[in-house]
Amino acid sequence: MGDVILSLAELAQQKRGAIYYPLDNIRFGEASVNKASLDKASQELDSDLLLLSLLPKAATGTTALEWNWQQVFALIDCLADELAAQGVSCQQGLALIGKNSLSQLLLYLAGLSLGARLMVINPQFPAEKTARILSQNQLDFYCSAMPLPVFEAQADKAQSRYLSNQGLASAVSEIISAEYDKNYQRVTPRLWQQALTMTLTSGSGGEPKAVVHDLAAHWQNALGVNEFLAFDSSKSWLLSLPLYHVSGQGIVWRWLSAAAELHFSGIDFYRSIGRATHVSLVPTQLQRYLAYLEQASKIQKSAVEHQLAATEAVLLGGAPIDPTLCTQAQAAGLSTFSGYGMTEMASTVFVCQNDRKQPQVRLLRGRELCIREQEIWLRGAGLAQGYWRDGKIVPLLNPEGWYQTKDRGQWHNGNLTVLGRLDNQFISGGENIQPEEIERVLQQYSEIEQAVVLPWVDAEFGYRPVAMVKFKQPFSAQLVGKVRLWLQDKLERFKQPIAYYPLPLEAGLQQMKVARRSLLQALQQLQHQAKDNQ
């Protein structure tokens, strides 16, 4: 941990570029900066007005907000003092509820610098679920666009305190008045060594569990990724994934540990990809990026070549990856890497370069892996301290000192093949069915964007596979018929889905990982409706 603290202290003194924030979505002519508008902006956590307040008056014609490390840490220190003034202190729980923004990133780092237990929560969660998460994880404070209502089920429990962000505007103004290139004199002590992150991951009981890491674990995980992908202080990484996922936080810690530059996306997300040297994507994003490049090449080929010039590495994860997609990316001039990781290991553990001629695979530095009865076991760099339960950290290691992932895998000649989740597997007529195997095949069909295979209760076979799919075109019986024909010689008959349903958008493409539990509940409702109609 001492190395982490020293590195952060050294970063705070540097004047090299740290953040690049494109301003193509800000309408300068329509915004006026005054105290009332800044107060409104601070309450909403992030807005055009707040970004305008961060710019020198002479720079209103600029196309991007660019900060060096001194400026970033001056704002972190200023916000840390503001949080402390509102009551946040070491080892208290602080939640940030919202999407990626400049403000959220700075509050994330400011809270950790105070030694807080910090959790970022998906703003798409229903309010009652969010309130339950706050209570279950003893989160003393929360920042969000609006205060949460008090629910009857939580009325008799300790309530988290809503933090008004009106102080954010005054904190920013103080930095601006000092021309924000001088060191801000922080009042509160820096307690990075006491800080903990709490990252939600799916729980077996339906409620998400909070995985607890110290900052050293995030840092160690980042160092291994940086080493393999040649990510250093001369490079940049696009913040393309949300901070409420460990993959988004992984980007932040790679940026910090490499002293590199962090890029935010502008209005055109796919154009932003081309500005950064490194980017993390889920397969669906890569698929859409390739379509974007193809469309752009029809207009101006040189523009596409320029778009690809900066991009050195695309790290894929979060879903099964179709080899055909990687081949298409390589043909387009992109170097892609498939990552295997999880929340409990602070993100990426194993990386494979998707190059047919010169494939490279590596278990990243400091990680250990073994296979026991087809299950992947892990330990080493990035490992969490445990799960947060009833105000305590419960260790996640088994008696042999390993974390059992519940992932099925094969390890051969230094290469890892992930076969799927042990807890997703089901038996149909005596045959083991791994849903991920069927999904990988379905996603090779040209018109399917995403597929999820689930078990359908069957009186004769126990369970039968059914598929929920997202087509590139509107869902139709005609498309389903074409998939059935195409699939006939691709899978054994008992693995072919007996029915197809549209994949709900909120459970599919908007998530880093598919919410199988909620999809299964929706499927069970369909099954009950089918019985009622018989």
Side-chain angles (χ1 to χ4, degrees):
M1 179 63 81
D3 291 343
V4 177
I5 306 304
L6 181 60
S7 296
L8 290 171
E10 290 175 349
L11 264 186
Q13 303 305 314
Q14 294 185 18
K15 291 188 176 181
R16 290 186 295 102
I19 285 179
Y20 178 88
Y21 194 110
L23 301 178
D24 54 7
N25 57 343
I26 293 186
R27 296 164 292 183
F28 289 97
E30 299 178 19
S32 60
V33 182
N34 52 47
K35 186 180 186 304
S37 61
L38 285 177
D39 285 349
K40 179 178 182 294
S42 68
Q43 288 175 352
E44 294 173 356
L45 279 184
D46 195 37
S47 73
D48 290 357
L49 293 171
L50 189 54
L51 288 174
L52 278 170
S53 74
L54 297 172
L55 289 170
K57 292 180 180 178
T60 53
T62 189
T63 59
L65 173 66
E66 296 184 70
W67 282 347
N68 64 38
W69 286 104
Q70 278 191 359
Q71 293 163 347
V72 168
F73 275 88
L75 271 170
I76 290 170
D77 286 347
C78 191
L79 290 173
D81 282 346
E82 187 59 41
L83 288 172
Q86 295 196 43
V88 180
S89 62
C90 184
Q91 298 184 352
Q92 285 190 306
L94 171 64
L96 306 178
I97 306 168
K99 61 183 182 179
N100 280 6
S101 69
L102 204 52
S103 306
Q104 189 189 57
L105 172 70
L106 294 171
L107 285 168
Y108 173 84
L109 295 172
L112 292 176
S113 77
L114 289 171
R117 285 186 293 110
L118 195 140
M119 177 186 290
V120 185
I121 299 177
N122 188 342
Q124 294 182 352
F125 283 170
E128 188 168 4
K129 179 177 181 178
T130 299
R132 195 163 58 245
I133 289 169
L134 294 174
S135 175
Q136 290 172 346
N137 293 284
Q138 291 76 46
L139 294 163
D140 306 284
F141 302 88
Y142 71 95
C143 297
S144 66
M146 297 291 291
L148 295 169
V150 177
F151 295 96
E152 186 176 344
Q154 306 294 325
D156 60 341
K157 299 178 181 178
Q159 299 295 311
S160 302
R161 179 180 157 194
Y162 172 65
L163 292 185
S164 168
N165 287 285
Q166 292 183 5
L168 184 59
S170 60
V172 168
S173 297
E174 188 169 347
I175 293 293
I176 298 300
S177 64
E179 298 176 347
Y180 76 87
D181 60 354
K182 300 174 183 177
N183 289 330
Y184 171 81
Q185 298 301 312
R186 178 169 172 152
V187 177
T188 52
R190 296 179 181 88
L191 298 172
W192 297 100
Q193 69 276 12
Q194 299 292 329
L196 297 172
T197 63
M198 304 174 71
T199 310
L200 295 176
T201 188
S202 300
S204 58
E207 287 294 334
K209 297 180 291 185
V211 181
V212 180
H213 286 96
D214 62 17
L215 302 195
H218 286 290
W219 198 272
Q220 290 164 5
N221 183 287
L223 291 177
V225 177
N226 291 352
E227 180 181 66
F228 187 75
L229 296 184
F231 185 64
D232 58 32
S233 60
S234 66
K235 308 296 174 62
S236 56
W237 206 302
L238 179 66
L239 187 58
S240 52
L241 301 174
L243 291 180
Y244 51 79
H245 280 294
V246 75
S247 50
Q249 293 179 59
I251 295 172
V252 171
W253 292 102
R254 291 167 208 155
W255 162 59
L256 290 168
S257 60
E261 190 169 74
L262 186 69
H263 282 208
F264 281 78
S265 171
I267 276 185
D268 188 339
F269 172 74
Y270 296 105
R271 184 182 179 191
S272 299
I273 291 174
R275 290 195 185 108
T277 64
H278 291 64
V279 61
S280 298
L281 300 176
V282 296
T284 299
Q285 289 174 319
L286 176 59
Q287 192 175 64
R288 292 179 176 180
Y289 183 47
L290 292 176
Y292 172 92
L293 293 175
E294 183 180 1
Q295 186 64 30
S297 68
K298 294 177 181 177
I299 302 170
Q300 188 178 2
K301 187 175 181 181
S302 61
V304 174
E305 292 172 351
H306 178 73
Q307 171 84 4
L308 293 168
T311 309
E312 298 178 11
V314 178
L315 181 60
L316 299 170
I321 301 162
D322 180 3
T324 305
L325 182 62
C326 298
T327 302
Q328 292 170 350
Q330 189 173 4
L334 291 168
S335 295
T336 65
F337 299 79
S338 298
Y340 168 72
M342 59 194 58
T343 305
E344 287 81 357
M345 292 296 291
S347 192
T348 312
V349 173
F350 183 90
V351 176
C352 170
Q353 183 175 7
N354 301 311
D355 188 325
R356 289 177 298 173
K357 294 181 179 179
Q358 293 181 315
Q360 295 184 48
V361 296
R362 182 181 298 179
L363 180 66
L364 298 178
R365 176 164 46 124
R367 286 73 156 169
E368 296 181 58
L369 181 152
C370 71
I371 306 291
R372 301 286 177 86
E373 296 182 355
Q374 293 193 316
E375 183 180 16
I376 300 171
W377 289 12
L378 295 169
R379 65 184 180 188
L383 183 68
Q385 293 188 0
Y387 299 111
W388 187 264
R389 190 177 303 156
D390 299 326
K392 298 179 181 178
I393 299 174
V394 179
L396 46 73
L397 299 182
N398 66 15
E400 297 179 52
W402 293 83
Y403 170 62
Q404 295 182 231
T405 66
K406 296 184 181 178
D407 285 336
R408 288 182 62 229
Q410 294 176 344
W411 180 257
H412 182 66
N413 292 334
N415 193 20
L416 176 67
T417 302
V418 182
L419 302 174
R421 294 284 297 173
L422 288 169
D423 45 8
N424 287 341
Q425 191 179 79
F426 60 92
I427 298 174
S428 178
E431 299 282 357
N432 289 331
I433 290 184
Q434 191 70 47
E436 292 89 344
E437 177 192 359
I438 304 172
E439 291 164 6
R440 280 191 288 269
V441 175
L442 284 171
Q443 286 172 190
Q444 292 174 23
Y445 186 68
S446 60
E447 292 301 316
I448 289 181
E449 199 165 274
Q450 189 171 10
V452 181
V453 173
L454 299 165
W456 180 280
V457 176
D458 183 271
E460 181 180 358
F461 294 93
Y463 293 99
R464 300 292 299 276
V466 301
M468 286 187 162
V469 297
K470 164 66 177 172
F471 288 113
K472 295 178 182 178
Q473 303 174 36
F475 187 94
S476 69
Q478 184 180 12
L479 279 171
V480 169
K482 290 180 178 179
V483 173
R484 289 183 186 276
L485 287 173
W486 177 83
L487 202 59
Q488 285 182 359
D489 61 351
K490 308 289 190 305
L491 282 171
E492 299 95 320
R493 191 169 184 81
F494 68 88
K495 293 181 181 177
Q496 296 178 23
I498 62 168
Y500 291 79
Y501 298 94
L503 178 65
L505 184 63
E506 67 274 10
L509 300 177
Q510 300 303 312
Q511 305 293 328
M512 276 293 298
K513 291 189 178 180
V514 173
R516 289 182 186 270
R517 187 175 301 277
S518 62
L519 289 179
L520 193 56
Q521 291 172 349
L523 185 64
Q524 289 169 347
Q525 290 178 355
L526 290 171
Q527 194 168 23
H528 290 315
Q529 290 172 9
K531 287 181 179 179
D532 292 341
N533 293 332
Q534 289 177 352

